[in-house]
Amino acid sequence: MNPLALLGGALFGAGVCISGMVRPSKVLGFLDFAGPWDATLLLVMASGLAVTVIAWRMVAGLRTPRFGREFPAPPSPLVDARLVVGAAVFGVGWGLSGYCPGPALVALVAGVPATFVFVAAMLAGMFAVERREQSTRSDA
Amino acid sequence: MHDFTPGHGILGGVLIGLGLAVVLLGSGRIVGLSGITAGLINPHAGGDRTWRASFLLGALAVGAIFELASPTTYDAVAPRPLWLLAIAGVLVGVGTRMANGCTSGHGLCGVARLSKRSLIATITFFAVGVATATLVGRLA
């Protein structure tokens, strides 16, 4: 068990629950511009980004992570078709369902069968891509 | 505005950001929930299982506490039919692996350090997500 990752996950879990992002109906309330619109997701992204921007600033002032060996390498500048097509395919799935990977996994605890269907299909999709290329890459 | 919960959105977003920041600053890892999940199901992903499993465990444990304390945290009924969720799940799984990240890894971690890849991925999945959900919303 990694206590730091456990804490990080706990904070993440609390965040997606409190913000309502574990509810696909709320996420669709943002993504569906034709329906009654709910801007909450925008505030979740903005406040989350405020924290991660500060975190990267702190990284710049540190030589090594407190419990790790090194910080991530600078981001790759490579923008290829695979990135854009992948993001678009994800966007279609997100827009159809209102689920992105983290909140979907957390929502499993509510025991709603539909969430299990979504997550099982998501894992199958991930596994298919992972199998096709056994190479692992650096960014998230 | 429908169902707009700005306070909860901002608090939740800060907690999500903190969850990612703790792991970044502490162990030098960029957290992405799709990457964590894919790393757990891919037998070739190597020895980073412990921190990934710990993060997910933390998130799900807190999610379960919310389910017990406040069941309305979650949707009781999925907003879309099961067949659509199955298709969406595959698309989210395939797309996030192709793009090498999702809302957390690209959207919050990558965008915060102005990674060109993450900026393009995030703009793409948001635009496509909105277009898809809006189209489906009109048809439904």
Side-chain angles (χ1 to χ4, degrees):
Chain A
M1 198 53 55
N2 180 326
L4 193 77
L6 192 72
L7 171 67
L11 290 165
F12 179 89
V16 291
C17 285
I18 291 171
S19 61
M21 297 299 102
V22 289
R23 283 171 46 214
S25 63
K26 188 161 181 71
V27 173
L28 290 175
F30 170 81
L31 293 176
D32 179 2
F33 280 23
W37 195 59
D38 172 12
T40 306
L41 190 147
L42 218 52
L43 293 178
V44 178
M45 288 302 289
S47 55
L49 274 170
V51 175
T52 50
V53 164
I54 294 169
W56 280 113
R57 295 221 156 192
M58 291 169 74
V59 165
L62 294 169
R63 208 168 302 158
T64 53
R66 183 75 181 77
F67 307 103
R69 237 176 304 148
E70 55 187 358
F71 283 117
S76 156
L78 174 75
V79 173
D80 51 7
R82 183 191 159 104
L83 175 79
V84 180
V85 171
V89 169
F90 166 41
V92 173
W94 193 33
L96 287 177
S97 64
Y99 272 131
C100 56
L105 291 163
V106 173
L108 287 174
V109 302
V112 177
T115 315
F116 285 87
V117 170
F118 177 88
V119 170
M122 178 181 86
L123 295 180
M126 286 179 169
F127 192 72
V129 177
E130 294 286 314
R131 260 186 76 131
R132 265 192 67 148
E133 52 218 87
Q134 300 295 358
S135 64
T136 47
R137 297 203 274 164
S138 64
D139 56 52
Chain B
M1 201 177 292
H2 178 73
D3 201 23
F4 185 48
T5 49
H8 285 80
I10 291 169
L11 174 62
V14 167
L15 289 170
I16 293 168
L18 283 175
L20 309 179
V22 159
V23 180
L24 174 64
L25 286 163
S27 57
R29 293 175 193 282
I30 295 177
V31 180
L33 271 293
S34 57
I36 284 180
T37 310
L40 282 174
I41 59 173
N42 183 351
H44 301 277
D48 285 342
R49 284 226 151 71
T50 312
W51 83 271
R52 292 191 174 106
S54 303
F55 193 95
L56 272 190
L57 183 70
L60 285 157
V62 169
I65 294 170
F66 272 86
E67 164 67 9
L68 293 173
S70 168
T72 53
T73 300
Y74 300 95
D75 282 339
V77 182
R80 299 280 182 250
L82 287 183
W83 63 269
L84 199 58
L85 290 179
I87 294 170
V90 172
L91 295 175
V92 169
V94 169
T96 53
R97 286 333 292 152
M98 282 180 71
N100 224 22
C102 58
T103 340
S104 46
H106 278 314
L108 289 175
C109 287
V111 168
R113 68 165 173 169
L114 300 178
S115 152
K116 199 170 138 197
R117 283 175 58 83
S118 293
L119 285 164
I120 288 174
T122 304
I123 290 166
T124 304
F125 64 67
F126 261 91
V128 174
V130 165
T132 305
T134 304
L135 192 69
V136 173
R138 296 226 160 186
L139 297 173

